[in-house]
Amino acid sequence: MAAKLILSMDGAVIKEYPLNKERMTIGRKPHNDIAIDNLAVSGEHAAIVTILHDSFLEDLDSTNGLEVNGAPTKKHFLQNNDVIGIGKYKLKYINDQVTQSSPADFEKTMVLKAPVKQPAPAAPGAAGKPAEAPAFSQTQANVAKPAAAAAETTGKLEAMQPAAQAAAGPIAVVQVLTGANAGKELELVKNLTTLGKPGVQVAVLTRRPHGYFITHVEGANHPTVNGTQLSDQPHQLNDHDVIELAGVKMEFYYKG
């Protein structure tokens, strides 16, 4: 049985929505999967990404924000009976499936940043040298502290404390091949790792018992693996696959 959201207002149930797609949007405009015609709701207010039995919620830079169980949040790993608040409306998350994940699995995020414009002319002798683009950064989305979840660290790929490895199986690594941060690596120790540039192209890497999968989440263009464009369905990654996402190439491989 798929997880679902139950929409209500003032305690009265309006409609139920099964989470039967990898990505569903919530907003005022009619093209959303969950359309709420109210001025307190942004045109595209939030998105819910569902991988197997796990779902996580993300604010799409809405005007009035989101609450989960009464606390403001930007990103939240949904758990059974969580209540999402959007204005006067409530969306109750129901999921009776057993999951092996936890909110901590959504802590690690890798973000591809846009090139930074140089404000001043280049120094003598550096004419024609392209501006270095901090193409990669890494942020922590801490579900326990929503304010920290919104903060981004730019300019470089920062080292993070290794997480406890609860899942069995070998750990994989993503290594940047192109751009200013070529050579930087990220260990995929979490069950969910997001890659990309929000608003342009975003994908989710999921660690499952039988391997790692990449799923397109956001953007008109889908990522490519070994030069082949992905579909909307999860794609299993093989050792030394080359992913291209938001103009940056990276290699996926298992640690030896």
Side-chain angles (χ1 to χ4, degrees):
M1 178 181 175
K4 63 184 178 180
L5 291 174
I6 301 175
L7 177 65
S8 65
M9 186 176 69
D10 297 330
V13 173
I14 299 171
K15 192 173 180 179
E16 292 189 5
Y17 296 90
L19 298 178
N20 52 13
K21 293 170 60 177
E22 290 273 345
R23 183 177 190 268
M24 295 181 68
T25 58
I26 305 167
R28 188 179 69 254
K29 293 181 179 178
H31 69 261
N32 288 282
D33 299 290
I34 301 174
I36 303 175
D37 188 12
N38 185 280
L39 291 177
V41 182
S42 296
E44 288 190 356
H45 200 105
I48 294 178
V49 175
T50 301
I51 309 291
L52 293 180
H53 303 312
D54 297 328
S55 299
F56 60 89
L57 170 74
E58 183 169 9
D59 191 320
L60 299 178
D61 294 324
S62 63
T63 302
N64 294 317
L66 287 173
E67 289 186 350
V68 175
N69 303 328
T73 188
K74 287 288 186 182
K75 295 179 181 179
H76 182 79
F77 186 95
L78 290 167
Q79 298 179 82
N80 192 33
N81 292 320
D82 276 349
V83 177
I84 304 164
I86 302 178
K88 295 181 180 179
Y89 292 85
K90 305 292 183 188
L91 284 159
K92 188 172 184 178
Y93 176 73
I94 302 295
N95 183 1
D96 54 7
Q97 298 288 330
V98 175
T99 176
Q100 299 300 319
S101 303
S102 70
D105 291 326
F106 191 50
E107 283 182 0
K108 182 169 285 189
T109 307
M110 184 183 287
V111 182
L112 302 173
K113 304 300 292 183
V116 173
K117 294 180 181 178
Q118 284 192 317
K129 184 180 178 181
E132 278 213 14
F136 245 74
S137 76
Q138 184 169 302
T139 71
Q140 283 193 356
N142 189 333
V143 290
K145 299 177 181 178
E152 287 191 352
T153 303
T154 60
K156 63 181 180 178
L157 183 65
E158 293 196 339
M160 296 178 68
Q161 294 295 325
Q165 297 177 11
I171 294 294
V173 173
V174 166
Q175 182 180 46
V176 186
L177 301 178
T178 60
N181 289 289
K184 298 292 185 179
E185 296 181 349
L186 174 71
E187 288 190 0
L188 304 176
V189 295
K190 295 292 183 182
N191 284 352
L192 295 172
T193 303
T194 58
L195 298 172
K197 180 184 175 187
V200 176
Q201 196 175 39
V202 177
V204 175
L205 292 183
T206 54
R207 185 183 182 197
R208 303 181 184 178
H210 50 291
Y212 288 80
F213 289 76
I214 183 171
T215 305
H216 174 71
V217 172
E218 180 183 351
N221 296 319
H222 289 45
T224 65
V225 174
N226 302 328
T228 302
Q229 193 171 51
L230 300 179
S231 68
D232 288 329
Q233 299 302 312
H235 175 84
Q236 185 165 9
L237 290 168
N238 296 311
D239 201 18
H240 299 296
D241 275 352
V242 175
I243 303 165
E244 184 166 356
L245 180 68
V248 173
K249 288 185 178 180
M250 60 202 86
E251 182 182 1
F252 168 91
Y253 63 92
Y254 287 98
K255 293 182 68 175

